Amino acid sequence: MNTIDFDAKVKGFVANCEAGRAEDWLGLVVVANFVRRRCDVADNDEVKRLSLKVVRILMERGFRAGQFERYGDSKLILWPDQAPDAVVARIDREWDPAKGDPNINDICWFE
């Protein structure tokens, strides 16, 4: 996929995320699924790399990252450092592409 196609798809994805953010949280799994399916990326390392680019954009747009104590909880526990660099670095450390994409409650959610 060329950069122009990726950027256009990301722009639409981020706009949809912004439109829905008042109604629901956004899991990292959704970001990875977007990159894998909508951007047609098969390589696990490339899915991670491009997902981190999307996460940075979301964070720069004011999203906040956190995790639930248990899946199904109604309170997101925000990570202490919400700086885009810090969030991207934490996800990068916790995401092992050798194990595939994150699952529904892996690593983080965004609000």
Side-chain angles (χ1 to χ4, degrees):
M1 164 170 291
N2 69 46
T3 302
I4 294 170
D5 289 344
F6 178 75
D7 290 346
K9 287 181 179 185
V10 168
K11 184 177 180 178
F13 176 75
V14 170
N16 287 338
C17 293
E18 288 177 317
R21 77 192 281 190
E23 298 172 20
D24 204 359
W25 296 285
L26 172 70
L28 181 60
V29 63
V30 175
V31 176
N33 284 341
F34 160 75
V35 170
R36 186 171 295 282
R37 293 189 175 100
R38 296 276 299 146
C39 300
D40 197 30
V41 177
D43 179 74
N44 290 353
D45 289 313
E46 188 69 357
V47 169
K48 177 182 174 180
R49 185 183 75 78
L50 293 173
S51 294
L52 292 175
K53 289 179 86 167
V54 175
V55 166
R56 179 174 300 283
I57 293 167
L58 292 171
M59 296 304 296
E60 290 170 350
R61 296 286 186 97
F63 281 77
R64 299 183 303 171
Q67 184 56 288
F68 296 102
E69 192 170 312
R70 288 180 306 279
Y71 180 71
D73 284 354
S74 61
K75 183 174 181 347
L76 186 66
I77 301 166
L78 295 176
W79 289 351
D81 192 345
Q82 293 293 317
D85 286 344
V87 170
V88 168
R90 182 169 174 173
I91 294 168
D92 188 32
R93 282 190 310 272
E94 294 184 22
W95 182 346
D96 179 0
K99 296 179 180 176
D101 298 344
N103 288 317
I104 191 79
N105 201 37
D106 286 348
I107 306 175
C108 71
W109 292 77
F110 302 95
E111 67 169 18

